[in-house]
Amino acid sequence: MTITLTIDCMGGDHGPSVTVPAAVSFVRSHADARLMLVGLEAPIRAQLKKLKAQDLDALTVVPASEVVAMDDPVEVALRKKKDSSMRVALNLVKEQTGQACISAGNTGALMAVSRYVLKTLAGIERPAIASALPNPRGYTMMLDLGANVDCEPQHLLQFAEMGHALVSALEGKERPTIGLLNIGEEVIKGNDTIKRAGELLRASTLNFYGNVEGNDIYKGTTDVIVCDGFVGNVALKTSEGLAQMLSDIIREEFGRSLLTKLMALCAMPVLLRFKRRVDHRQYNGAALLGLRGLVIKSHGSADAYAFEWAIKRGYDAVKNGVLDRLARAMEENAYPLEQASRDAGGAGHASPAGRPAEPYSAVSSKA
Amino acid sequence: MTITLTIDCMGGDHGPSVTVPAAVSFVRSHADARLMLVGLEAPIRAQLKKLKAQDLDALTVVPASEVVAMDDPVEVALRKKKDSSMRVALNLVKEQTGQACISAGNTGALMAVSRYVLKTLAGIERPAIASALPNPRGYTMMLDLGANVDCEPQHLLQFAEMGHALVSALEGKERPTIGLLNIGEEVIKGNDTIKRAGELLRASTLNFYGNVEGNDIYKGTTDVIVCDGFVGNVALKTSEGLAQMLSDIIREEFGRSLLTKLMALCAMPVLLRFKRRVDHRQYNGAALLGLRGLVIKSHGSADAYAFEWAIKRGYDAVKNGVLDRLARAMEENAYPLEQASRDAGGAGHASPAGRPAEPYSAVSSKA
């Protein structure tokens, strides 16, 4: 089976100088992948030429005349730039020419345009942003990371359903464990929303582990952790900040003098292994879940190596039938969800909560 | 001036075997400190004997017949154990025999008993837990770290006032900068509570920087960061989990073989400097702010070195007149706060939001 992905080549801080090399490298190592490179033709073709990749059959250039800037308001992306690379790349997924779209464009715009173009899955009130964070045994899938700043209990239940479908599709796990992010393990902890979400989760058919705390993300206590987008985004960016500070300190200490530089040289094999293991770029690529199409959001500042990982995420999602799994899981749970919504007294048609936050990769290690 | 502190010797995972050595070491290096060691007499005296510290004038043993266990419900600590070491140590502060109380006991119990014994400062609806987190230039004071799971905008304003008073007292900074933890820098980001808190902060006399994000904690963008206790606790424990994972990986990589162990040996001076710089134990000791007395909460799992740092926090707070500063700041701002409460449509008498979460020290490094 050929897997066709659409690449918003203009998104991110670096545009085609990052996205095109990543695409070229990806098709060179994945024989069954076809990539549609969407954006301004000249810079894309210039990059292809530079990489001697003009004749690769696996790459097609699809022209789009506009670019959504990283600081464009959602409204501009949505209403003024109808021929943006982002929009065209998403349209190709809607028409089923491509099976997933990968973009490093600004999160708010990407979520809004994706919702507009692709629409949400039946049973989904709020799409969410999901990303894998490293733990000692693999990764913890965490959502929401910034799409929804205020959540009702039934939204957290929906996130859990989506996380379940995603991880069971990607990892072949029958019943991945679900944790509810809280500030203590006891059932009585947390605010009202969390407590009611806990009740819904306990009553669901999901493999609900119970409450987990912030440190459980990196312990890998559960396969999936759900939380509202405000808390998830803060946890993610806090991680990013801490990892950056620690790696800066390591670099500073080893760079202090000729002697310490020699010590770094001695320890280099270990330092490099450490760096490889915690390299945040391997975790690039958050999934926008709950849409009638697969969309992967890359970190805006991704380099080609990191962007290639985001492409890989889209490729894996298609290969593992994530979209079908999600749609099926939502269908199966449609009744309980509506029930849950009524039980929890939540709004049936909650509006999207403003502009989503930029999700960051967690573990940064430039040490 | 002599500074007298009361030590709840029975609190924490290790009790007198940690608290007493810490106290002995502290008075040996601080000639103007007097410590009252509160708890079961026999184990405290046994520790003193072991340390050949029975005759130190700076130490007094104050007997208390009961112990608040780490898993005691708040109600038990509050109503059943009236002669607990925690309660007696707090009573001594209330009677002004001691000037600050240091305890590693369970956070929920400590906050509840402190509120009951000491009462809150005029103008404070909700005490908060504040702790210093490391940044490249020193520390960021962050609050609330788990005392209040749901906050109204005016509570966040109060936290800012308290953070301002604390940092200006401790650091002699006239106008420390205040950041509001959010998921984006733009004013339009965040939920309603955050947006309204931002308005109150902008209208206040505080040196309000604006919104900050999770990574700003470790960048040191502002002197103080305010957030609700749910978000603060998640950020803190997430940091703890990440730091632990990273240090485990470093240890694992250096321990892999004889060769890598040799490399560790070569790099040891740098690794030790790194470890010292990021040692979370130096940041042990969170302040319970907003009470008519100073209370420092140590991490429950603190060792003697870490607990000594918590004692130091109490000592510094007394020496710098933190309590007076806080009371004065609250008085000066009493009118605007009531106004703010009305403006924000908040409850005048918000109840404490359940059992506070356990604050953890952030940067864990056993590497």
Side-chain angles (χ1 to χ4, degrees), chain A residues 149-150 183 189 191 213-215 233 237-239 242 250 252-253 256 263 266 269 273-274 277 356-357, chain B residues 149-150 183 189 191 213-215 230 233 237-239 242 250 252-253 256 263 266 273-274 277 356-357:
Chain A
V149 291
D150 281 309
I183 58 169
K189 290 271 186 176
N191 56 28
E213 300 184 70
N215 48 341
N233 196 263
K237 291 195 182 154
T238 299
S239 301
L242 175 57
I250 290 182
E252 199 184 309
E253 288 300 336
R256 198 170 278 278
M263 289 175 185
C266 288
R273 266 192 71 101
F274 172 72
R277 276 184 70 178
Chain B
V149 291
D150 281 308
I183 59 170
K189 290 270 186 177
N191 56 27
E213 300 184 70
N215 48 340
F230 192 99
N233 196 262
K237 290 195 183 155
T238 299
S239 302
L242 175 57
I250 291 182
E252 199 184 308
E253 288 301 337
R256 198 170 278 280
M263 290 174 184
C266 287
R273 265 192 72 101
F274 172 71
R277 275 184 71 179

Side-chain angles (χ1 to χ4, degrees), chain A residues 93-150:
Chain A
V93 172
K94 192 196 171 196
E95 298 159 4
Q96 305 192 346
T97 308
Q99 294 158 282
C101 168
I102 292 93
S103 173
N106 99 49
T107 314
L110 184 62
M111 181 57 101
V113 179
S114 298
R115 276 184 80 122
Y116 179 80
V117 170
L118 299 172
K119 314 300 177 206
T120 51
L121 284 172
I124 293 290
E125 289 170 12
R126 311 258 194 106
I129 300 174
S131 188
L133 298 176
N135 70 41
R137 280 174 301 288
Y139 65 81
T140 306
M141 186 61 74
M142 189 162 159
L143 71 165
D144 174 34
L145 296 179
N148 307 282
V149 291
D150 281 309

Side-chain angles (χ1 to χ4, degrees), chain A residues 16-72:
Chain A
S17 69
V18 152
T19 54
V20 176
V24 169
S25 167
F26 190 82
V27 294
R28 282 181 173 151
S29 57
H30 293 80
D32 59 347
R34 299 283 170 277
L35 300 185
M36 308 183 76
L37 307 179
V38 187
L40 303 177
E41 250 192 293
I44 294 177
R45 294 215 182 271
Q47 283 294 332
L48 287 174
K49 193 173 166 198
K50 199 170 141 192
L51 298 160
K52 299 186 180 28
Q54 304 106 304
D55 302 323
L56 278 181
D57 286 339
L59 297 177
T60 326
V61 178
V62 180
S65 63
E66 290 171 307
V67 175
V68 174
M70 289 308 273
D71 54 356
D72 268 347

Side-chain angles (χ1 to χ4, degrees), chain B residues 235-256:
Chain B
L236 203 58
K237 290 195 183 155
T238 299
S239 302
E240 185 191 49
L242 175 57
Q244 187 64 53
M245 184 184 74
L246 294 177
S247 78
D248 287 349
I249 293 179
I250 291 182
R251 208 185 305 115
E252 199 184 308
E253 288 301 337
F254 274 116
R256 198 170 278 280

